[in-house]
Amino acid sequence: MFLVNGMKATLRKYNRNDTNNAYDDQDIQEVPISCCPYDISQGIAFGLYTVPEAKGYYQVKRDLDVRKGDQIVFIGRNTDPSFEGQIHTVLNVQDNWIFNRVENKIVAVK
């Protein structure tokens, strides 16, 4: 359930090609996504979803294939101009469960 109009961004997926097991820095897929800032105050109160070195948290749709080490690049259109061109690296991805189903993912970024 993703009820807000998210900020437009591009997700850079690294090493999704399963043909070889070695790390390939040229194997990059870029996917347009929408994400919204996540208020972590509830998570801090219960000790959930917190990563000490994280600079921010974002909520993304549940079917998005995002992994640790990927990058999120914000697009300036339809967002706050201060976010334009910012690049964030994904530190941690956790699922939000509601009624035995993953509703969205919380991405901790640096």
Side-chain angles (χ1 to χ4, degrees):
M1 188 163 48
F2 199 74
L3 299 177
V4 298
N5 290 333
M7 297 188 300
K8 302 296 181 192
T10 301
L11 176 67
R12 289 183 184 162
K13 299 180 181 183
Y14 290 99
N15 277 349
R16 295 300 201 278
N17 194 357
D18 292 330
T19 57
N20 58 1
N21 293 332
Y23 181 79
D24 183 9
D25 62 348
Q26 299 297 317
D27 183 15
I28 301 172
Q29 299 173 9
E30 292 190 351
V31 178
I33 63 168
S34 64
C35 60
C36 67
Y38 181 71
D39 181 18
I40 197 64
S41 61
Q42 290 284 337
I44 290 174
F46 296 103
L48 300 173
Y49 304 123
T50 57
V51 179
E53 60 270 8
K55 301 252 174 149
Y57 296 85
Y58 293 97
Q59 179 180 359
V60 296
K61 294 183 180 181
R62 65 182 165 158
D63 59 351
L64 184 64
D65 179 24
V66 59
R67 297 181 189 168
K68 186 176 182 178
D70 291 347
Q71 289 182 336
I72 297 175
V73 181
F74 286 99
I75 302 169
R77 190 183 67 213
N78 297 333
T79 63
D80 184 1
S82 63
F83 280 100
E84 184 174 356
Q86 284 189 5
I87 299 175
H88 296 289
T89 303
V90 175
L91 294 175
N92 194 8
V93 179
Q94 294 184 356
D95 298 333
N96 269 346
W97 289 80
I98 298 177
F99 300 116
N100 296 328
R101 183 176 113 170
V102 175
E103 284 299 321
N104 51 42
K105 295 180 181 181
I106 303 300
V107 178
V109 297
K110 179 177 173 183

